[in-house]
Amino acid sequence: GQISDEELLEFLSLRGEGYLSVGRRVEAEKVLLAAAAIGEKIENAAESALIYLNLGRTCILLGKYREAVPVLEKSLEISVKINNPD
């Protein structure tokens, strides 16, 4: 049957991590960008924080330092909100 957005998010996140772990950085970036869009759409903060962290790491490994900074800041911002909901 049809997979849910949550399932797709988890699949893309894991696939991005997999690509990153074997050095396929360009593929990782594409997959993690798609995952980030879904994470925003369905408001899955915990998964989004991890996706943005991996996306930022991928940008750094690709030498895209200027792109990495706002992505890593977004990951940190989400993580802080999750851990300090006040």
Side-chain angles (χ1 to χ4, degrees):
Q2 188 96 353
I3 69 169
S4 70
D5 285 341
E6 283 285 341
E7 291 168 324
L8 182 58
L9 177 65
E10 186 174 345
F11 169 76
L12 291 174
S13 179
L14 290 171
R15 188 172 191 171
E17 286 182 48
Y19 278 140
L20 195 54
S21 72
V22 296
R24 294 176 63 180
R25 298 170 184 158
V26 173
E27 292 95 333
E29 181 183 33
K30 289 177 186 174
V31 171
L32 291 169
L33 282 168
I38 294 169
E40 290 285 325
K41 175 184 158 193
I42 65 173
E43 299 179 355
N44 184 324
E47 194 68 33
S48 290
L50 178 61
I51 290 165
Y52 283 118
L53 180 64
N54 283 326
L55 183 56
R57 203 171 91 204
T58 301
C59 289
I60 289 170
L61 292 170
L62 289 169
K64 298 180 177 182
Y65 301 105
R66 289 177 194 244
E67 291 178 33
V69 172
V71 172
L72 291 171
E73 286 175 349
K74 187 160 186 100
S75 175
L76 180 60
E77 176 186 318
I78 295 168
S79 296
V80 168
K81 283 182 186 177
I82 292 169
N83 293 305
N84 300 304
D86 299 332

